[in-house]
Amino acid sequence: MNEISIIGLDLAKNVFQIHGSGPDGRVALRKKLNRGRLLEFFARLSICVVAMEACASAHYWGREIGKLGHEIRLINPSYVKPFVKRQKNDAADAEAIAEAASRPTMRFVSVKSAAKQASSMAFKVRDLLVRQRTQTINALRGHLMEYGLIVPQGIKHIPLLHEQIATNPDLPEVARVLCKGLLEQAVFLSEQIAVLEKELRTRARQDELASRLMTIPGVGPICATAIEALAPSAETFSRGRDFAAWIGLTPKQNSSGGKDRLGKVSKMGQRDLRRLLVLGATAVVRWARRYGAPVGSWLARMLLKKPPKLVAVALANKLARTAWALMARGGVYQAPASGAA
C-alpha cells in the first residue's frame, strides 16, 4: 500500500473499481469496493493522487476524498478513452484513468464546492423547465392542427391557444378537456420559470462579480450569474483565448503540413455558457443591424463583410474573452475607442 502513488477510481452507483500504480507506473493494486467501504479504504491509504473521470458524482467524491488529504484530479472522459486497452470493463477503465492522470500534459477539471454546484443547478432546472414547456406547447399546437386550428409559434400566443380551445365549436369535448390540461401544464411551467428567473436576477444584482459582468453589452443577469456559477476560477486559464476555447467558441482545426485549416466552432466545451453567450451576441448583432453600430468599430466592419450568424459567434468569442478579463483583473467593461479592434 505504501508503494501506491496514483489511484485510478472508476465511479459507479454501488461497486467501485480501484487501480493503484506505483511511482514507476507498475500495477500495485487492483480492487473492487462497495459504496459503504470506499471512504474507509482511502482513510487508511497513504496520501497519494486520486484520479477520476469528471462524470456524475465525481465532484462529491472529490470533495469527500480530498478531505482525507489526498490530491484529487478530475479528467474529462474523452481524454481517458485513448488510454483504454482493447476491451472495455471497469478494471480497464480504472487503469486508463490512472494512466491518463500520470501524463504531465493532461488537463484536469477543478473540483466544485457544494455551493457552486447548487448555483449551477438553478440553470439546469431552468433549462429543463423551458424544454418541457416548449415540448408541451408544440404537442398542443400539433393536436389542434388536426382539427384545423393553426396557432403561431411562441410563448406570446398562449392566450390565442386558450381562446381557440375554449370557443371553437368543432373541437370534440374529449379533445377540449385534454387540450386544457396541456395548456394548464404550459402555464404552470411558465410560472415556475418566472420564479427561477426572478431569483437569478436578484442574485445577479447582489453578486459583485455578476454585477461587473453585466456591464458587458450582450451579457444579461442570467448569463452573468451563469458565468459566475458554471465557470472555474479565472486563474485556471492563462488568457482569455483559453477561456473561450474551454467554452467551445474557437474554430475546429484540421491543420497539417504547416497549413492552418479552420472550420466551425468545436462545440466541445461548456454548452450552457456557449448558448447564452451566442444568444447575447445575436441580440447585439440584431440591434446593430437595425439601429447601426458605432462608426469604425469592430462590429461595424465585420457586418459589412461577414454573414450575421458568423459575426454573432465571433462576437460571442469576444464576450467570453472580455468576461475572463473582468474576472481575472477586476474592473468593469469599457467600450474600445472608435476604430480599435
Side-chain angles (χ1 to χ4, degrees), residues 68-143:
L68 302 174
H70 299 286
E71 180 185 346
I72 306 300
R73 295 180 182 177
L74 302 185
I75 310 174
N76 189 309
S78 62
Y79 295 160
V80 175
K81 189 173 179 60
F83 294 93
V84 177
K85 301 182 180 72
R86 287 207 174 194
Q87 306 299 329
K88 189 207 178 293
N89 51 59
D90 293 345
D93 289 346
E95 182 179 354
I97 293 170
E99 183 82 15
S102 65
R103 300 298 178 181
T105 58
M106 182 56 61
R107 299 173 182 174
F108 301 106
V109 178
S110 303
V111 179
K112 291 183 179 179
S113 65
K116 195 88 166 177
Q117 281 192 294
S119 297
S120 63
M121 183 178 174
F123 299 95
K124 301 294 184 181
V125 173
R126 177 182 175 274
D127 286 345
L128 175 63
L129 295 179
V130 170
R131 289 196 301 269
Q132 288 178 343
R133 182 179 64 180
T134 303
Q135 182 183 23
T136 302
I137 293 177
N138 287 342
L140 182 55
R141 292 177 59 249
H143 289 310

Side-chain angles (χ1 to χ4, degrees), residues 319-334:
L319 295 181
R321 286 184 282 161
T322 303
W324 176 86
L326 295 189
M327 291 189 294
R329 302 166 189 165
V332 297
Y333 174 79
Q334 295 181 354

Side-chain angles (χ1 to χ4, degrees), residues 12 151 155 164 292 307 320:
V151 179
I155 304 303
Q164 294 276 26

Side-chain angles (χ1 to χ4, degrees), residues 44-278:
R44 300 196 313 265
L45 189 67
S46 300
I47 301 301
C48 64
V49 175
V50 180
M52 297 171 278
E53 289 183 327
C55 56
S57 74
H59 292 281
Y60 165 75
W61 288 114
R63 291 193 299 268
E64 296 300 315
I65 297 174
K67 292 176 183 177
L68 302 174
H70 299 286
E71 180 185 346
I72 306 300
R73 295 180 182 177
L74 302 185
I75 310 174
N76 189 309
S78 62
Y79 295 160
V80 175
K81 189 173 179 60
F83 294 93
V84 177
K85 301 182 180 72
R86 287 207 174 194
Q87 306 299 329
K88 189 207 178 293
N89 51 59
D90 293 345
D93 289 346
E95 182 179 354
I97 293 170
E99 183 82 15
S102 65
R103 300 298 178 181
T105 58
M106 182 56 61
R107 299 173 182 174
F108 301 106
V109 178
S110 303
V111 179
K112 291 183 179 179
S113 65
K116 195 88 166 177
Q117 281 192 294
S119 297
S120 63
M121 183 178 174
F123 299 95
K124 301 294 184 181
V125 173
R126 177 182 175 274
D127 286 345
L128 175 63
L129 295 179
V130 170
R131 289 196 301 269
Q132 288 178 343
R133 182 179 64 180
T134 303
Q135 182 183 23
T136 302
I137 293 177
N138 287 342
L140 182 55
R141 292 177 59 249
H143 289 310
L144 290 177
M145 193 178 296
E146 298 296 330
Y147 298 97
L149 305 178
I150 308 301
V151 179
Q153 294 181 355
I155 304 303
K156 62 182 179 180
H157 296 295
I158 284 184
L160 181 57
L161 281 169
H162 186 274
E163 179 184 348
Q164 294 276 26
I165 294 170
T167 61
N168 193 283
D170 298 330
L171 193 64
E173 190 61 28
V174 174
R176 194 186 310 276
V177 172
L178 294 174
C179 288
K180 283 184 177 179
L182 288 175
L183 186 59
E184 290 173 358
Q185 177 70 10
V187 172
F188 172 77
L189 290 171
S190 295
E191 293 172 352
Q192 296 298 309
I193 293 169
V195 170
L196 279 175
E197 290 181 347
K198 183 178 179 181
E199 293 178 357
L200 292 175
R201 291 189 177 94
T202 302
R203 190 194 309 170
R205 289 193 298 268
Q206 296 174 349
D207 187 84
E208 183 268 340
L209 174 59
S211 299
R212 291 192 290 107
L213 290 174
M214 283 193 294
T215 61
I216 305 173
V219 177
I222 294 179
C223 184
T225 49
I227 294 174
E228 191 275 334
L230 300 175
S233 62
E235 291 75 15
T236 307
F237 309 98
S238 59
R239 52 187 176 175
R241 293 178 64 183
D242 295 339
F243 180 62
W246 175 81
I247 294 176
L249 285 169
T250 49
K252 189 175 182 180
Q253 289 199 42
N254 187 23
S255 305
S256 180
K259 185 173 183 180
D260 294 335
R261 296 182 179 89
L262 303 180
K264 300 179 181 179
V265 291
S266 63
K267 295 186 179 181
M268 295 184 65
Q270 225 296 335
R271 61 181 182 179
D272 298 310
L273 290 182
R274 182 172 62 248
R275 183 179 69 251
L276 290 171
L277 287 171
V278 171

